[in-house]
Amino acid sequence: MKLSLGPILYYWPEEQIRQFYREIADSAVDIVYLGETICSKRRSLNLEQWVEIGQQLQAAGKEVVLSTLALLEAESELKSLRKICGNGTFLVEANDLAAVNICAEQEIPFVVGHSVNLYNQGTMGVMARCGMKRWVLPVELSKETLHELQQHRPDGVETEVFSWGKIPLAYAARCYTARHYNLPKDDCQYRCLDDPDGILLNTKEGQPFLTINGIQTQSAQHNNLLGVMEEMKAEGVDVVRISPQSRFTPEIVQLFDQRKREEITLQEGMDAANRLLPLGGVDGYWRGEAGIQPTEI
């Protein structure tokens, strides 16, 4: 199995982004996804700068993929999407059907992101005929569903599973971060920069429940599938995705690499991972249960 690093889901300043990828260039990650997937107002880097970073990572031996927005709301965003799809250098991760359509029309191979909601064999076949080379299992689907879909996976298509990080749950036209700061969406003052891992939302009883990240809602806890890497391998999973966070991402990559190489035991890996999880890990969706269920070994 290969290790991938998903796109940064948060709003970080340019130098933080560049320093982050300088560290990733020396890591065990095989595939790196680059670009903005949440909000078009987040412009720390433009497309040319993302391509520049991609070229540096490619020179370090990484496969590079440019990711697209999951929710498009304006013609300007569609224009930017066309530029990403037609970049001519890197594979594209299509995170909505507009990106799928553009890639299909131009015969550009692409990855289907988890937000496209590829749920059944019929859709998988359609996507493969459009040019899909890899698909990411929707985060709410279980191992059992993955097993069924893998029986009908078209030849030449890889499977990727979101295995570490706050779980992307929903997208909306409303910006929850702006609302949190009592600001209108059109004058958000880029307050996402204040929260490099999103804003934690608790229930009235004080239980960590969700994370606010602009227009995206995430889980409070981190999805942690480190303990089921052998199960994923048995199911024919080709790529294990780690979602970036502002702290400890290189350490998490190293843990997954060590487990893949069987350099550490399952217990050692899980103990090390739990030390990096202030709110604990969850893996309920993988087991076909409520996603908030704590990780089991």
Side-chain angles (χ1 to χ4, degrees):
M1 288 191 299
K2 297 178 182 179
L3 298 181
S4 75
L5 188 71
I8 297 170
L9 301 180
Y10 309 101
Y11 196 13
W12 297 351
E14 178 180 353
E15 184 48 42
Q16 182 178 355
I17 294 173
R18 290 186 179 276
Q19 177 57 35
F20 177 78
Y21 286 116
R22 283 193 286 268
E23 296 177 9
I24 293 304
D26 296 325
S27 74
V29 162
D30 302 290
I31 305 167
V32 182
Y33 291 81
L34 299 175
E36 178 58 48
T37 65
I38 306 301
C39 178
S40 62
K41 295 181 70 174
R42 299 178 178 181
R43 301 191 186 101
S44 294
L45 299 173
N46 59 34
L47 177 58
E48 289 73 21
Q49 291 169 316
W50 282 118
V51 169
E52 174 196 346
I53 292 175
Q55 290 169 338
Q56 294 166 355
L57 290 166
Q58 189 177 62
K62 313 301 183 187
E63 176 188 337
V64 175
V65 184
L66 295 182
S67 297
T68 69
L69 285 173
L71 180 62
L72 281 77
E73 300 181 74
E75 179 62 32
S76 59
E77 295 171 359
L78 190 58
K79 183 178 180 180
S80 297
L81 173 63
R82 292 191 181 99
K83 290 182 179 180
I84 294 171
C85 294
N87 75 89
T89 303
F90 301 121
L91 192 66
V92 171
E93 179 185 42
N95 285 312
D96 85 318
L97 288 180
V100 170
N101 287 335
I102 291 172
C103 289
E105 289 171 359
Q106 300 182 20
E107 299 183 351
I108 299 169
F110 58 92
V111 179
V112 170
H114 58 77
S115 57
V116 174
N117 297 340
L118 200 164
Y119 287 156
N120 56 62
Q121 65 189 69
T123 305
M124 183 174 287
V126 169
M127 291 295 175
R129 291 191 293 275
C130 287
M132 176 179 72
K133 299 303 179 185
R134 181 161 64 240
W135 70 292
V136 184
L137 179 75
V139 294
E140 68 272 24
L141 298 189
S142 65
K143 171 188 173 182
E144 181 180 355
T145 303
L146 172 65
H147 179 80
E148 295 173 0
L149 289 172
Q150 289 289 74
Q151 308 310 304
H152 305 281
R153 180 174 60 168
D155 293 339
V157 173
E158 293 183 323
T159 297
E160 183 169 351
V161 174
F162 185 101
S163 302
W164 177 277
K166 293 185 177 183
I167 306 172
L169 299 173
Y171 304 86
R174 170 176 289 176
C175 177
Y176 296 109
T177 299
R179 185 176 179 84
H180 172 79
Y181 288 109
N182 199 29
L183 294 167
K185 181 180 179 181
D186 292 339
D187 186 25
C188 66
Q189 301 176 20
Y190 306 104
R191 294 300 295 270
C192 284
L193 282 168
D194 298 338
D195 305 292
D197 292 299
I199 302 171
L200 181 65
L201 178 67
N202 294 325
T203 65
K204 290 184 177 179
E205 294 74 25
Q207 178 185 6
F209 181 44
L210 298 171
T211 297
I212 298 170
N213 176 36
I215 69 165
Q216 183 188 56
T217 304
Q218 302 173 304
S219 61
Q221 297 85 358
H222 281 63
N223 194 41
N224 178 11
L225 300 187
L226 179 68
V228 298
M229 289 187 71
E230 291 82 1
E231 294 180 35
M232 288 193 282
K233 184 177 181 179
E235 293 295 340
V237 172
D238 303 282
V239 183
V240 171
R241 176 178 293 204
I242 297 163
S243 187
Q245 55 191 47
S246 65
R247 301 175 63 202
F248 306 126
T249 298
E251 289 84 349
I252 295 302
V253 169
Q254 183 178 24
L255 281 178
F256 273 83
D257 184 56
Q258 289 174 324
R259 277 299 299 149
K260 183 180 75 169
R261 299 176 186 274
E262 299 183 350
E263 295 176 353
I264 57 175
T265 66
L266 173 59
Q267 190 64 56
E268 288 172 337
M270 295 299 288
D271 288 345
N274 286 333
R275 288 194 289 269
L276 304 177
L277 290 174
L279 299 180
V282 295
D283 68 355
Y285 283 142
W286 175 258
R287 294 183 278 112
E289 301 175 4
I292 202 171
Q293 290 298 318
T295 300
E296 293 184 356
I297 297 180

